[in-house]
Amino acid sequence: MSLVELKHVTKNYQMGEMSVRALKNIEIEIDEQSFVSFVGPSGSGKTTLLNLIGCLDKPSSGEVFVNGKQVNNFSNKESALFRGQHLGFIFQNFNLLPVLSAYENVEYPLIMVQNIPAKKRKERIMHYLEAVGMADQKDKYPSQLSGGQKQRVAVSRALVTDPKLVLADEPTANLDHVSAFKVIELMRQMQHDFKTTFIFSTHDPKIVKEAEIIYTLEDGEIVDKEIATL
Ligand code: ADP
Ligand code: MG
């Protein structure tokens, strides 16, 4: 069974009188433990697509299945619960809370969505901070970290709840090339170590080469699917 499946998905945004067709007849199947990229120019529909898979938005028509559940009919409450239990998110702007340390940022989703005893929680946070090489920086605040380091903390935060699927919307867009490659490499390592599926979007053709499966989007349509030969 696929981890993610989209059937005949369309998405229109209503802007006053005008309707913007952001996605047209999307058909996707993504297996567990894969490393997938959505690539395409700005406005091609990458964020819209990730938001539908991430239960952050609903399609205008069609069906979305994630982890065996049809998620497009979920209520807002059901979506929030599902996100907390099964999904992790990484953002272009890192989205770390500035008043929390690296450690506390990683702790945050555990407190929000999972009731774990304090000792277990601490072990878990340190395990994931170590996995991304940020354990020794745990008491630093986001303003004291470089972009690459912030994104490492964000990767750790996305993984700490042990999600099936991590969605990363242009995770390297605000990083220099060296840091960008390091973050993708790190996600790849995490996919391998924790058996997590990753889907990331990018408009950078160099970064996209690191993916196993590449979907190319243009004007809301998938115009190419490429499977990397290893
Ligand atoms: P990408 O992430 O590839 O840049 P998006 O998914 O953000 O593309 O956007 C796809 C299309 O949908 C674009 O034409 C964009 O202008 C439009 N769009 C995205 N979000 C909204 C919104 N909230 N309201 C209206 N139009 C939107
Ligand atoms: Mg986008």
Side-chain angles (χ1 to χ4, degrees), residues 9 11 23 48-55 57-59 64 71:
V9 164
K11 177 71 182 178
L23 293 176
T48 303
L49 190 49
L50 285 172
N51 286 349
L52 296 183
I53 297 169
C55 305
D57 203 357
K58 300 279 169 62
V64 182
V71 300

Side-chain angles (χ1 to χ4, degrees), residues 78-120:
E78 286 169 325
S79 293
L81 190 66
F82 189 84
R83 285 196 301 271
Q85 285 176 337
H86 302 291
L87 307 179
F89 294 89
I90 298 169
F91 303 93
Q92 175 175 343
N93 299 316
F94 323 119
N95 284 25
L96 299 180
L97 291 167
V99 295
L100 300 183
S101 67
Y103 180 95
E104 290 163 340
N105 266 285
V106 177
E107 184 176 34
Y108 191 74
L110 286 181
I111 294 175
M112 293 308 286
V113 302
Q114 291 182 359
N115 199 5
I116 298 172
K119 185 165 172 279
K120 257 235 143 78

Side-chain angles (χ1 to χ4, degrees), residues 13 15 20 22 41-48:
Y13 290 110
M15 303 257 288
V20 179
S42 177
S44 58
K46 304 181 296 295
T47 296
T48 303

